C-alpha cells in the first residue's frame, strides 16, 4: 500500500490542539499514522511552534511540546527547492512549497479560500473532506 502524503496547515494543527474531539484532531492522528505520511519543512515547523505558543490560544505547554515531538518523530522533513507566490495570503505559500517538494496527495486546511483547489497533483481539502476520503466511517 502506498503511503498517503499529507501537508497540514497550521490552523488545522491549532484546532487539533484546542478541540480534542474535533475532526482536526482526527486529521492529525491519521497524518502521523501509517500508511499516511505527514510532510513538513523548516518554515512550517517554525510556524507551528510560534503559533501554538501564542498566549491567546491558551494551549498548555505540555500539549504544545507533545504535538511538536509527535511531528518531529513521525513527520518527514523536506527542503523545498523553489519559492512560490500562489496563495492569496503570502504566508501560506510555505504549505504549497512543502506540498510541491513532498509530492503530497493532500494539503489539509481550514482556509481553502487562500489556496487554489489543486497545486500540481496536490488537492487542497478541508478537514471534513479529508476524513471523509481517508476514514469515511468517522464522518456522519
Amino acid at each position: 500500500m502506498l503511503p498517503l502524503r499529507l501537508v497540514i496547515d497550521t490552523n488545522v494543527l491549532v484546532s487539533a490542539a484546542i478541540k480534542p474531539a474535533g475532526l482536526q484532531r482526527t486529521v492529525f492522528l491519521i497524518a502521523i499514522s501509517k500508511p499516511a505520511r505527514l510532510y513538513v519543512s523548516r518554515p512550517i515547523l517554525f510556524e507551528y511552534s510560534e503559533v501554538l505558543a501564542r498566549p491567546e490560544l491558551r494551549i498548555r505547554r505540555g500539549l504544545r511540546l507533545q504535538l511538536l515531538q509527535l511531528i518531529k518523530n513521525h513527520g518527514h522533513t523536506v527542503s523545498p527547492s523553489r519559492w512560490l507566490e500562489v496563495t492569496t495570503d503570502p504566508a501560506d505559500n510555505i504549505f504549497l512549497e512543502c506540498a510541491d517538494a513532498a509530492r503530497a496527495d493532500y494539503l489539509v486546511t481550514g482556509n481553502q479560500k487562500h489556496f487554489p483547489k489543486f497545486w500540481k497533483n496536490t488537492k487542497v481539502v478541508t478537514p471534513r473532506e479529508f476524513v471523509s476520503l481517508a476514514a469515511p466511517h468517522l464522518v456522519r
Side-chain angles (χ1 to χ4, degrees):
M1 177 183 250
L2 292 174
L4 193 59
R5 302 164 80 88
L6 307 171
V7 175
I8 295 178
D9 194 351
T10 307
N11 59 62
V12 175
L13 185 63
V14 167
S15 293
I18 294 172
K19 297 186 285 187
L23 280 174
Q24 295 86 351
R25 177 74 62 100
T26 303
V27 168
F28 179 71
L29 293 174
I30 291 171
I32 62 170
S33 303
K34 290 183 180 182
R37 282 191 181 169
L38 174 63
Y39 286 88
V40 294
S41 62
R42 286 183 190 261
I44 289 174
L45 287 171
F46 179 77
E47 180 170 303
Y48 284 173
S49 179
E50 187 176 79
V51 173
L52 287 171
R54 289 182 182 165
E56 66 269 21
L57 294 176
R58 294 189 181 128
I59 299 170
R60 290 182 355 270
R61 183 177 186 275
L63 177 57
R64 288 194 318 261
L65 295 175
Q66 183 181 31
L67 289 171
L68 294 170
Q69 191 62 51
L70 284 167
I71 293 166
K72 287 177 185 168
N73 290 347
H74 298 281
H76 299 266
T77 304
V78 295
S79 297
S81 60
R82 62 188 192 136
W83 305 105
L84 298 174
E85 293 182 16
V86 178
T87 62
T88 58
D89 179 351
D92 285 333
N93 284 310
I94 60 173
F95 298 100
L96 286 180
E97 292 163 0
C98 181
D100 189 42
R103 297 182 320 276
D105 300 302
Y106 296 100
L107 166 57
V108 186
T109 181
N111 290 329
Q112 274 189 307
K113 66 181 185 257
H114 293 177
F115 296 92
K117 292 190 185 300
F118 283 92
W119 177 255
K120 296 187 178 182
N121 293 325
T122 302
K123 184 173 184 181
V124 179
V125 295
T126 65
R128 179 169 296 284
E129 289 171 320
F130 176 73
V131 172
S132 71
L133 292 165
H137 60 286
L138 298 176
V139 180
R140 292 183 196 130

